[in-house]
Amino acid sequence: MKKSRSRNFWSNVAGTAAIEFAVLAVPFLGVTTSAFEAGRAVWTLEALQDSATQGARCIGVQSSPCYASGAYSAASVVAHIQKVASAWGVDVPSNAITATEETNCGNVAGFSAVRISYTFSSVAGKLIPALDRVPLSASSCFPHNS
């Protein structure tokens, strides 16, 4: 009698789909989450690059958002860059932004420059440690409008 029970147990196929799903669901969810988080990281990098470009251009053409009463204002530049990044859905802290009114770019003088250093934090950081606390940076130069 014991042999037939044992044989019936190992030959029974009821529930195999549930077991296969349980085995494959975890890796599939991990791959899917990784793909979404990598996409978010690329989106964030694009937002940072656009913000740096807009900030450097704002300084270079002496646009009103970056100049208070006709004079260069670093605080206004940072606020402008944060506004551009916020439109992308990215909150950049002011200490992550470095704006320079007069600098060299590629050994050529007469440029304004913006550099943003940002740490990307994944919403699934505990599940995917490689995507948690990833340093991202963007920089841009723009010639001065003299």
Side-chain angles (χ1 to χ4, degrees), residues 37-90:
E37 289 302 295
R40 269 186 2 97
V42 170
W43 172 274
T44 302
L45 184 58
E46 180 65 24
L48 296 176
Q49 186 60 52
D50 183 53
S51 301
T53 302
Q54 293 293 331
R57 181 183 180 282
C58 184
I59 299 167
V61 298
Q62 300 175 355
S63 184
S64 61
C66 297
Y67 283 77
S69 302
Y72 173 75
S73 170
S76 296
V77 172
V78 169
H80 177 69
I81 292 169
Q82 287 176 319
K83 182 179 176 186
V84 173
S86 180
W88 281 82
V90 178

Side-chain angles (χ1 to χ4, degrees), residues 119-144:
T119 303
F120 175 77
S121 293
S122 172
V123 294
K126 297 215 187 287
L127 297 174
I128 309 163
L131 287 176
D132 195 29
R133 313 280 308 152
V134 176
L136 301 177
S137 64
S139 60
S140 183
C141 292
F142 198 88
H144 275 283

Side-chain angles (χ1 to χ4, degrees), residues 52 55-57 59-60 62 67 72 77 98-115 139-146:
R57 181 183 180 282
I59 299 167
Q62 300 175 355
Y67 283 77
Y72 173 75
V77 172
T98 305
T100 309
E101 181 184 20
E102 189 67 42
T103 191
N104 295 343
C105 281
N107 295 327
V108 178
F111 282 84
S112 57
V114 171
R115 179 164 178 77
S139 60
S140 183
C141 292
F142 198 88
H144 275 283
N145 185 13
S146 300

Side-chain angles (χ1 to χ4, degrees), residues 19-37:
I19 293 170
E20 289 172 357
F21 176 78
V23 169
L24 295 176
V26 173
F28 177 74
L29 289 174
V31 168
T32 304
T33 303
S34 297
F36 282 122
E37 289 302 295

